[in-house]
Amino acid sequence: DTEVTQTPKHLVMGMTNKKSLKCEQHMGHRAMYWYKQKAKKPPELMFVYSYEKLSINESVPSRFSPECPNSSLLNLHLHALQPEDSALYLCASSQELRGVDIQYFGAGTRLSVL
Amino acid sequence: DQQVKQNSPSLSVQEGRISILNCDYTNSMFDYFLWYKKYPAEGPTFLISISSIKDKNEDGRFTVFLNKSAKHLSLHIVPSQPGDSAVYFCAASAVGSARQLTFGSGTQLTVLP
């Protein structure tokens, strides 16, 4: 089983709203990731959690706030977003395999900011 | 500066023929390479990978070739099937930062029946 589950699949929010994206995996992976993907572009790394601790923040604006409540869950809290933040938000997880990480992705949350 | 490049945004191939997708990289610290396939409205799906200590890895219809001296890798799909139509991303991982992937811009493969 290589399933990463993301909810919701679609989200529309105004610039003053607060919302959260959720990601769940039950593969025992100890690294989890948030990516942002714009149309016809590759995924861009936002955050990396390793053993439930934030290890990488790729200079993401503070209106995006990640949270890792436990080893299976990853949240992304959204507040005061801008229209240019509209994108596909992907969650991934990985477990080091023979010294290399293969990342498994969820289906993503399609976010529209009005 | 793009460290991983896929110079062909699209490729069309007839069903049953070979599909060859190319990827170039500039960072000599990359030591592991992966190919992902992405259908619309889905997340990227891991397809096949190769370590820099090898020059070829094969899995069923999919074979990845690595030419380190040219900093070039390619994905061969044979025979191509209509269900292979998707966007293919090449990704690379560097020594000491295996938890970060650098993606290419993707190639849209269309397999014509």
Side-chain angles (χ1 to χ4, degrees), chain B residues 71-92:
Chain B
K71 293 191 175 66
H72 176 83
L73 64 155
S74 60
L75 174 67
H76 293 210
I77 306 173
V78 57
S80 302
Q81 299 173 354
D84 296 328
S85 297
V87 177
Y88 288 78
F89 288 99
C90 168

Side-chain angles (χ1 to χ4, degrees), chain A residues 51-72:
Chain A
Y51 289 87
E52 301 160 47
K53 293 190 189 308
L54 183 64
S55 62
I56 295 175
N57 176 340
E58 291 287 351
S59 303
V60 179
S62 60
R63 57 186 184 268
F64 295 91
S65 175
E67 179 197 18
C68 190
N70 59 57
S71 60
S72 300

Side-chain angles (χ1 to χ4, degrees), chain A residues 29-87:
Chain A
H29 290 176
R30 301 314 298 264
M32 297 186 77
Y33 313 75
W34 280 115
Y35 287 85
K36 174 182 177 179
Q37 186 176 23
K38 299 281 260 184
K40 300 189 185 301
K41 298 287 188 183
E44 295 177 11
L45 184 66
M46 300 175 71
F47 302 104
V48 181
Y49 273 82
S50 178
Y51 289 87
E52 301 160 47
K53 293 190 189 308
L54 183 64
S55 62
I56 295 175
N57 176 340
E58 291 287 351
S59 303
V60 179
S62 60
R63 57 186 184 268
F64 295 91
S65 175
E67 179 197 18
C68 190
N70 59 57
S71 60
S72 300
L73 295 173
L74 186 66
N75 298 322
L76 185 63
H77 302 298
L78 314 173
H79 174 56
L81 294 193
Q82 304 297 309
E84 59 265 28
D85 296 321
S86 299

Side-chain angles (χ1 to χ4, degrees), chain A residues 31 33 37 42 58 100-101 103 106, chain B residues 32 36 38 43-44 99-100 104:
Chain A
Y33 313 75
Q37 186 176 23
E58 291 287 351
V100 178
D101 278 347
Q103 295 182 21
Chain B
Y32 199 75
Y36 285 85
K38 187 179 185 301
R99 297 187 181 281
Q100 293 192 63

Side-chain angles (χ1 to χ4, degrees), chain B residues 3 12 34 41 48 52 76 85-86 89 100 104-105 111 113:
Chain B
Q3 297 187 61
S12 291
L34 306 91
I48 192 169
S52 61
H76 293 210
S85 297
F89 288 99
Q100 293 192 63
S105 54
V111 179

Side-chain angles (χ1 to χ4, degrees), chain B:
Chain B
D1 177 35
Q2 273 190 293
Q3 297 187 61
V4 178
K5 297 180 183 178
Q6 294 177 255
N7 291 318
S8 297
S10 63
L11 174 68
S12 291
V13 171
Q14 208 67 39
E15 182 179 4
R17 307 294 286 267
I18 184 171
S19 295
I20 300 177
L21 297 101
N22 293 305
C23 179
D24 297 293
Y25 62 96
T26 57
N27 188 342
S28 57
M29 299 298 289
F30 287 145
D31 69 338
Y32 199 75
F33 304 89
L34 306 91
W35 284 95
Y36 285 85
K37 177 172 71 173
K38 187 179 185 301
Y39 294 117
E42 294 185 12
T45 301
F46 170 71
L47 200 55
I48 192 169
S49 61
I50 188 167
S51 164
S52 61
I53 63 173
K54 296 186 174 182
D55 55 17
K56 176 183 175 181
N57 189 26
E58 190 172 353
D59 184 1
R61 297 186 296 116
F62 303 92
T63 303
V64 56
F65 295 92
L66 175 63
N67 182 335
K68 283 180 293 186
S69 61
K71 293 191 175 66
H72 176 83
L73 64 155
S74 60
L75 174 67
H76 293 210
I77 306 173
V78 57
S80 302
Q81 299 173 354
D84 296 328
S85 297
V87 177
Y88 288 78
F89 288 99
C90 168
S93 176
V95 172
S97 64
R99 297 187 181 281
Q100 293 192 63
L101 292 179
T102 301
F103 284 88
S105 54
T107 296
Q108 170 70 57
L109 172 66
T110 302
V111 179
L112 304 168

